[in-house]
Amino acid sequence: METLSFKNVLKNNISKLTITLVILIVLQFIGLVIPILISNLSEIKELRQGLNIGLYLILLLILEPILKLIYGISSRSLQSSITKEIQNFILNLILKMKLSNFKNSNNFLKIISEDPKIIGSSIVMIITSSISEIFKIMILLKISSIHWIFGVIYLIGIICIIFLDNFCSKFIKESKRKAKKNDETVNYILINSLSGIKEIKSFNFNIKEYLLKKLTANNNVHLKKDFIKEFFIEIKNILLTIITLISIIIGGFLIIYYGLHVSKILLIFLYKEKIFSIVKDISEIKNSKIDLALCKERIYNLSNNEKFPKNIFGNKDLNLAKGKIEFKNVTYGIDKEKPIIKNISLEIKPKSIVAFVGHSGCGKTSLLNLIMNYESINSGSLKLDDLEVKDITENSLRENISMVQQAPIIFNISFKNNLLLAKPNASDEEIHHACKLACIDDLIDALPKKYNSIIGKDIVLSGGQKQRLAIARALLKKSSILLMDEATSALDSITQQKVMNSVKRSNKTILIVAHRLSTIKDCDKIFVMAKGKLVSSGSHNYLIKHSSEYRKLYNAEKIK
């Protein structure tokens, strides 16, 4: 199981961390010296002494904001680098997951986009605040040297607030956890509702009250979280006010009755904000640790193979695959007690064209997913060119197989860039040829910007147009094996026939999942599936004569 090591993350960013810390230490030293110079001004007896102190003071006051600006840039750069590294780690985990993990993929969105930022800011906050605390402890010692009673007062106040923070942190942590979980649930509901707006409108579903109820409940969770946080902040503010009042009273008493110089009291009050910020820093460190723990817990869950199973790949390269595919006693199912594929054995010869037919849910698409190693078989053997699929490297497996799905993902970039995703070094001639084979070239050539037209901006594609573009992308890839899962379901019969004729001439091993049996009649072999089992196989003519299941499917289509 891959684990996230913050130590390694910092090690990889050591130069930026070092620069940030050096600037911070200089800033803290300046913050320590400036109040001393200001208090010394009240004790000067000679003009020259005052001018020297004033000159140093001006230089430091000019230098301080400049260094703060540089520190801000440096710390943000460090935070950004940490965030990027965490995002890279999370993306690697997610891309290795099996398809079954993505039924509710919206939950991954915040983990990818928000958690790395929180981790980056929290790590920087914990380190920099810890350095700041060292200098503020030095300030506390300086105040104690003026008079021990001030040190005792501030120390007692700090201890009280630390105990208060420890007490309230568990409430804050729990409220944040509930709010985060509630956000994920509500976002999932909203995304599903908005993506299904067509069905909602067509059936006139009364979804408004349901959504408002969920949103109100989510708002209440956040209000409770904010109230808990603000409540404890106000209690701390009251405690700090009490400490300030006690210091003022004792300071006045020491000036009147013990002749303590005003400059000493002035220094104490100039340091007051820094002393009080000890508590703030401790609180921020505590809250950052809470945020860090929550994010790390979610990322740890992603790493957990039991909660989020990962794809298993080997170290054997599949170079220029011939295209032979063999299933031997293969059983598969997410729930092993209820397998989707049941003890299937079949062999597909190189460069052959085969089809899988059967009622919805019989396991046709699952077979293709197993070949792509999107999911792992429970038992049996699945081989490509006599190599177990699980032993093949991910890159060589992906390079040798193209897959076109019923609802392909077409990105809102140009036609050309969509196609280049399959083959980054493809020439314009290759791109045009692939589009011609997929019968999408006429559509693209009719546009003013042609292949540079932006999808979603210059043109909105229909389902059939998306399928043809996806087929062109698959043909451009020049892989040895082509998997087509209802890849032409949105095309009219004439266009579908043209596209399929081009595909069948592509000299690949082709596996077709289809409900339109008219499109696969001339396949080399047709596999008929029912309830996860292979019930018969052969040519169209053979199956019409010998397979009752195939005849039912074929006759049902003829009636339609």
Side-chain angles (χ1 to χ4, degrees):
M1 182 172 70
E2 290 184 67
T3 54
L4 178 62
S5 170
F6 294 143
K7 184 178 180 181
N8 288 338
V9 171
L10 289 174
K11 189 177 178 181
N12 294 337
N13 293 279
I14 191 66
S15 58
K16 290 183 178 181
L17 177 62
T18 303
I19 293 168
T20 302
L21 292 183
V22 168
I23 298 170
L24 176 64
I25 289 169
V26 174
L27 273 172
Q28 292 297 323
F29 181 76
I30 290 172
L32 192 68
V33 171
I34 286 176
I36 295 174
L37 293 177
I38 292 172
S39 66
N40 286 345
L41 283 173
S42 63
E43 295 181 347
I44 58 169
K45 295 177 181 179
E46 296 180 5
L47 179 62
R48 186 173 180 177
Q49 183 186 6
L51 289 173
N52 286 337
I53 293 173
L55 180 62
Y56 290 136
L57 192 58
I58 289 168
L59 289 173
L60 291 176
L61 289 172
I62 292 171
L63 182 61
E64 188 178 36
I66 295 171
L67 285 176
K68 280 183 178 179
L69 179 63
I70 298 171
Y71 170 74
I73 295 169
S74 178
S75 61
R76 286 184 183 88
S77 176
L78 173 62
Q79 184 178 324
S80 177
S81 295
I82 293 171
T83 299
K84 183 179 178 181
E85 192 163 337
I86 302 294
Q87 284 175 330
N88 182 57
F89 179 83
I90 293 171
L91 285 171
N92 281 336
L93 285 178
I94 289 174
L95 291 173
K96 289 177 183 176
M97 288 181 184
K98 295 182 178 180
L99 284 184
S100 53
N101 295 306
F102 293 90
K103 291 178 180 178
N104 186 8
S105 57
N106 295 318
N107 288 342
F108 297 142
L109 297 179
K110 284 196 171 184
I111 298 176
I112 296 170
S113 63
E114 292 186 14
D115 282 3
K117 294 176 186 175
I118 293 171
I119 291 172
S121 62
S122 296
I123 289 176
V124 173
M125 172 63 72
I126 291 168
I127 294 172
T128 55
S129 293
S130 299
I131 298 294
S132 298
E133 288 296 272
I134 295 171
F135 282 88
K136 286 162 188 176
I137 290 170
M138 291 169 63
I139 290 171
L140 185 60
L141 293 173
K142 174 66 177 176
I143 287 174
S144 300
S145 68
I146 294 172
H147 200 287
W148 63 268
I149 197 164
F150 288 110
V152 171
I153 291 168
Y154 283 117
L155 188 60
I156 290 172
I158 289 167
I159 291 170
C160 288
I161 292 173
I162 290 172
F163 275 114
L164 180 64
D165 270 349
N166 287 332
F167 174 75
C168 70
S169 64
K170 59 182 179 181
F171 296 101
I172 294 173
K173 183 177 180 179
E174 187 58 31
S175 65
K176 282 186 175 182
R177 190 196 302 273
K178 285 181 178 178
K180 194 90 172 177
K181 190 173 181 180
N182 218 58
D183 280 342
E184 289 172 356
T185 303
V186 170
N187 285 338
Y188 175 68
I189 292 169
L190 285 173
I191 290 170
N192 273 352
S193 299
L194 293 174
S195 62
I197 195 70
K198 186 177 180 180
E199 286 77 9
I200 289 168
K201 287 187 174 185
S202 64
F203 285 99
N204 198 26
F205 290 148
N206 186 16
I207 199 170
K208 180 181 175 183
E209 289 184 12
Y210 172 74
L211 291 177
L212 283 174
K213 184 179 178 181
K214 290 293 181 182
L215 287 168
T216 302
N218 189 46
N219 291 338
N220 289 337
V221 171
H222 278 273
L223 284 172
K224 185 178 179 181
K225 180 199 76 173
D226 294 338
F227 173 77
I228 290 171
K229 186 177 178 181
E230 291 299 325
F231 176 75
F232 286 116
I233 286 173
E234 290 307 317
I235 290 177
K236 282 192 282 187
N237 287 338
I238 291 169
L239 189 55
L240 292 173
T241 302
I242 291 169
I243 294 169
T244 302
L245 289 173
I246 292 172
S247 298
I248 290 170
I249 293 167
I250 291 175
F253 181 81
L254 291 174
I255 290 171
I256 295 169
Y257 294 101
Y258 288 89
L260 188 67
H261 200 280
V262 175
S263 65
K264 303 298 182 185
I265 301 298
L266 176 61
L267 182 59
I268 290 170
F269 280 94
L270 287 172
Y271 277 145
K272 182 188 71 173
E273 293 299 325
K274 291 188 178 295
I275 291 294
F276 285 163
S277 68
I278 290 178
V279 179
K280 181 186 173 186
D281 285 347
I282 291 171
S283 178
E284 285 179 345
I285 291 171
K286 191 79 177 177
N287 289 334
S288 293
K289 284 183 177 179
I290 291 170
D291 289 338
L292 203 58
L294 289 172
C295 293
K296 190 174 182 180
E297 181 183 332
R298 283 190 289 272
I299 295 171
Y300 177 80
N301 286 337
L302 288 184
S303 305
N304 192 320
N305 287 329
E306 291 183 7
K307 290 186 178 181
F308 296 99
K310 310 296 187 298
N311 295 120
I312 299 170
F313 293 94
N315 55 9
K316 296 179 180 178
D317 285 325
L318 186 67
N319 297 318
L320 297 173
K322 295 174 183 176
K324 179 186 175 183
I325 302 170
E326 183 182 5
F327 287 79
K328 190 173 182 180
N329 302 321
V330 169
T331 297
Y332 158 73
I334 298 170
D335 183 351
K336 293 183 179 180
E337 300 298 320
K338 298 177 182 178
I340 299 168
I341 304 295
K342 301 171 185 175
N343 198 37
I344 279 184
S345 294
L346 60 90
E347 183 177 329
I348 301 168
K349 295 178 180 179
K351 312 303 179 186
S352 62
I353 302 171
V354 303
F356 293 88
V357 299
H359 293 292
S360 296
C362 68
K364 304 184 297 294
T365 298
S366 295
L367 283 177
L368 303 190
N369 288 338
L370 291 175
I371 294 170
M372 291 293 290
N373 200 5
Y374 290 150
E375 299 289 346
S376 302
I377 62 175
N378 297 346
S379 62
S381 171
L382 172 55
K383 294 181 178 179
L384 281 180
D385 288 0
D386 299 320
L387 287 176
E388 289 284 350
V389 167
K390 66 181 180 181
D391 295 333
I392 300 170
T393 62
E394 183 176 10
N395 284 341
S396 64
L397 183 68
R398 299 285 180 257
E399 285 170 5
N400 281 283
I401 305 176
S402 297
M403 187 173 185
V404 184
Q405 302 181 66
Q406 185 175 9
I409 297 299
I410 302 298
F411 298 95
N412 289 334
I413 53 180
S414 69
F415 281 95
K416 184 175 181 178
N417 286 334
N418 262 291
L419 292 160
L420 288 174
L421 290 172
K423 188 178 180 183
N425 61 347
S427 65
D428 289 345
E429 185 180 348
E430 288 177 301
I431 290 171
H432 297 164
H433 180 65
C435 289
K436 188 174 182 178
L437 292 175
C439 298
I440 191 76
D441 57 322
D442 289 343
L443 171 72
I444 300 172
D445 287 332
L447 296 169
K449 297 179 184 176
K450 299 187 182 301
Y451 285 84
N452 291 318
S453 301
I454 305 298
I455 296 166
K457 180 182 177 183
D458 298 323
I459 184 173
V460 176
L461 298 182
S462 66
Q465 289 164 344
K466 287 181 179 179
Q467 286 185 341
R468 281 184 280 159
L469 183 59
I471 291 168
R473 192 163 58 189
L475 293 173
L476 180 66
K477 189 178 176 183
K478 305 291 185 186
S479 56
S480 304
I481 300 168
L482 175 59
L483 311 180
M484 301 184 73
D485 187 3
E486 292 289 347
T488 60
S489 60
L491 303 185
D492 62 82
S493 299
I494 296 173
T495 306
Q496 178 177 274
Q497 193 61 49
K498 288 180 180 177
V499 171
M500 289 308 298
N501 287 339
S502 297
V503 169
K504 289 171 183 177
R505 291 195 301 268
S506 61
N507 197 32
K508 300 173 183 287
T509 301
I510 301 171
L511 284 70
I512 303 168
V513 168
H515 284 108
R516 286 188 197 170
L517 302 193
S518 58
T519 63
I520 51 93
K521 286 168 63 176
D522 58 347
C523 285
D524 298 320
K525 201 168 191 178
I526 300 169
F527 296 97
V528 184
M529 296 185 66
K531 297 180 180 178
K533 295 181 178 180
L534 182 62
V535 294
S536 55
S537 63
S539 66
H540 168 74
N541 292 333
Y542 174 85
L543 292 171
I544 285 291
K545 292 178 182 179
H546 298 95
S547 173
S548 59
E549 184 71 24
Y550 185 78
R551 277 199 305 273
K552 286 178 188 177
L553 294 168
Y554 186 71
N555 290 333
E557 184 178 316
K558 284 175 70 178
I559 292 169
K560 289 179 183 178

